[in-house]
Amino acid sequence: MRILVAMSGGVDSSVVAGLLKDEGHEVIGATLQLYDHGQATKTGSCCAGRDIMDARAVADRLGIPHYVIDAEERFRRSVIDRFAESYARGETPVPCVACNQGVKFSDLLGMARDLGCEAMATGHYVRRHAGAEGVEMHRPVDLDRDQSWFLFATTSAQLDFLRFPLGEMPDKEAVRAVAMKMGLPVASKPDSQDICFVPQGSYVDLVETLRPETLEAGDIVDATGRVLGRHDGIARYTIGQSKRLGDINTKSAGGVRQMVTRIDAPARRIVVGPRDASGRTEFRLRDMNWLVGNGQAGEARRTLRCGVQLRAREAVRQAWVMESDDGQAVVRLDEPAWPAPGQACVLYADTRVLGGGFIRLDAA
Ligand SMILES: Nc1ncnc2c1ncn2[C@@H]1O[C@H](COP(=O)(O)OP(=O)(O)OP(=O)(O)O)[C@@H](O)[C@H]1O
């Protein structure tokens, strides 16, 4: 079949292109130019200028056509700006979900269809296979590389069209070995970093440029509003954090350890509370995407007993999840946890992704 491969210039998607070519498919490579390469001098990021050249070199080596698509404006609006705005609301954003939905699985997927492709493949580590109800999404074999949490918003229609050949790979070494065997020029290239558009760990600089108020100092208060100390910008904090609280925790040596329980963005305040008393068992999800049940009009709303994962690298917790109005859901955890608004809550049944949504802690 004719298949478009989303090529980042990294090892993973290069191997995907090679594997599909070897299987006899008509492979077309496409790389998104996601931001200004004049400013993007970092290495190891998925979208720096160097990576476009790498993707082209791999395509040449494989003898496949390769397109470069200017998605800079789209990426800036739907990923980078929203990332900063989310911090300004006191949230902890997940930009990779916005990128998958707002760029890769929209613009690029549309281009694949326009080119007459029957599928689009990426180097994401996730498995997709046919089940009784239709196509299912599962965690990959290599759980260390699991990207299913970042892909929860993939719709059933998108999933139908997508392919993730690396989901069955045992580990990254095996992927590199394939790259080596195929003679791909990127076989030894370092892995990309967590957030492609920020240099190593300094998302704060970017957020400060776009929304300076999120890095202004403010008060750290307890639940009653009593001032306990000062912070250096709400964008540096997330719910459940106990670092960066100054001497609040050392002062109370012998006392109860404090952690962030709420980020009050309008008042620029960080609210803290004792760990054991501040967890919550109930919260809401917005923008739900369901990959289970048909959800047609007239069907009963979904109520699931399942596992939920509240952060990218966190253990699964047991919960009830009840579908509610307007694409929302209510989560009721067995044990208290510290969900952060803006993060994803992904629903699992063993390895299968049942759906997910974004955490909201406000009452609405
Ligand atoms: N700039 C881009 N253009 C086209 N596709 C991309 C781009 N960046 C990422 N992708 C696609 O999304 C997948 C997952 O991206 P991610 O940033 O997680 O990269 P990765 O897991 O390090 O993979 P790789 O080794 O291919 O960079 C990639 O394997 C690729 O298929």
Side-chain angles (χ1 to χ4, degrees):
M1 70 166 101
R2 183 181 296 169
I3 182 160
L4 186 110
V5 176
M7 296 178 71
S8 66
V11 190
D12 295 330
S13 45
S14 300
V15 166
V16 165
L19 288 172
L20 293 169
K21 174 95 196 308
D22 281 358
E23 283 173 22
H25 296 295
E26 182 192 344
V27 177
I28 300 173
T31 302
L32 297 158
Q33 180 184 315
L34 297 176
Y35 53 77
D36 181 358
H37 299 126
Q39 295 165 16
T41 50
K42 53 204 174 292
T43 53
S45 118
C46 81
C47 27
R50 154 105 203 276
D51 294 332
I52 293 180
M53 305 309 291
D54 286 342
R56 169 128 306 161
V58 170
D60 285 349
R61 165 84 201 170
L62 295 172
I64 59 169
H66 177 246
Y67 297 92
V68 178
I69 299 120
D70 179 2
E72 234 179 273
E73 172 64 14
R74 168 72 100 145
F75 188 73
R76 189 179 56 72
R77 271 189 291 114
S78 52
V79 181
I80 301 181
D81 287 352
R82 284 171 62 181
F83 179 68
E85 283 157 19
S86 182
Y87 277 113
R89 287 193 297 269
E91 299 175 353
T92 308
V94 195
C96 299
V97 178
C99 179
N100 287 331
Q101 281 311 304
V103 186
K104 288 178 191 158
F105 297 168
S106 46
D107 295 13
L108 202 54
L109 205 144
M111 180 184 152
R113 290 191 197 279
D114 291 346
L115 288 171
C117 294
E118 288 166 70
M120 178 173 116
T122 74
H124 285 110
Y125 285 77
V126 66
R127 274 186 299 169
R128 161 206 184 279
H129 53 72
E133 285 179 340
V135 187
E136 299 178 357
M137 188 193 293
H138 287 257
R139 292 190 194 271
V141 171
D142 182 0
L143 292 176
D144 289 343
R145 303 254 158 197
D146 186 357
Q147 288 178 302
S148 60
W149 189 84
F150 294 98
L151 291 170
F152 80 89
T154 311
T155 63
S156 296
Q158 291 167 343
L159 199 53
D160 263 339
F161 195 73
L162 288 163
R163 301 291 183 273
F164 308 106
L166 300 191
E168 306 290 342
M169 285 292 203
D171 53 33
K172 184 77 183 224
E173 284 61 49
V175 177
R176 286 195 187 279
V178 173
M180 210 69 88
K181 203 162 152 220
M182 289 175 174
L184 302 183
V186 294
S188 313
K189 191 169 168 176
D191 288 347
S192 53
Q193 57 206 31
D194 271 357
I195 303 179
C196 73
F197 55 89
V198 293
Q200 304 287 344
S202 69
Y203 74 92
V204 162
D205 295 343
L206 175 76
V207 175
E208 185 167 29
T209 314
L210 297 170
R211 298 301 296 253
E213 74 276 21
T214 63
L215 273 309
E216 283 171 17
D219 288 332
I220 301 178
V221 300
D222 67 13
T224 67
R226 188 166 59 104
V227 177
L228 304 176
R230 298 282 289 169
H231 68 78
D232 52 357
I234 58 169
R236 298 181 196 272
Y237 295 81
T238 186
I239 309 284
Q241 179 174 329
S242 52
K243 286 188 191 139
R244 289 194 94 87
L245 294 182
D247 57 1
I248 289 172
N249 275 322
T250 42
K251 255 195 313 206
S252 64
V256 186
R257 194 161 175 76
Q258 305 286 306
M259 59 193 272
V260 177
T261 58
R262 198 160 66 83
I263 297 174
D264 182 352
R268 230 179 289 132
R269 292 197 307 187
I270 298 292
V271 184
V272 298
R275 183 179 170 84
D276 290 343
S278 59
R280 61 169 74 218
T281 51
E282 192 166 316
F283 54 93
R284 298 180 76 85
L285 303 179
R286 62 176 165 83
D287 300 325
M288 280 300 296
N289 180 51
W290 295 97
L291 289 171
V292 66
N294 59 22
Q296 278 165 12
E299 288 285 314
R301 286 183 183 158
R302 302 164 179 90
T303 296
L304 302 178
R305 175 73 182 156
C306 59
V308 296
Q309 189 178 324
L310 307 180
R311 300 234 183 209
R313 277 165 272 280
E314 226 187 53
V316 165
R317 302 159 188 278
Q318 291 308 304
W320 285 99
V321 179
M322 281 81 60
E323 182 175 14
S324 62
D325 291 329
D326 308 325
Q328 302 213 28
V330 175
V331 179
R332 208 161 285 149
L333 299 169
D334 289 5
E335 305 285 340
W338 293 268
Q343 287 281 292
C345 170
V346 182
L347 284 40
Y348 290 92
D350 192 13
T351 61
R352 184 177 173 196
V353 178
L354 305 176
F358 290 99
I359 295 166
R360 57 183 301 175
L361 301 182
D362 49 329

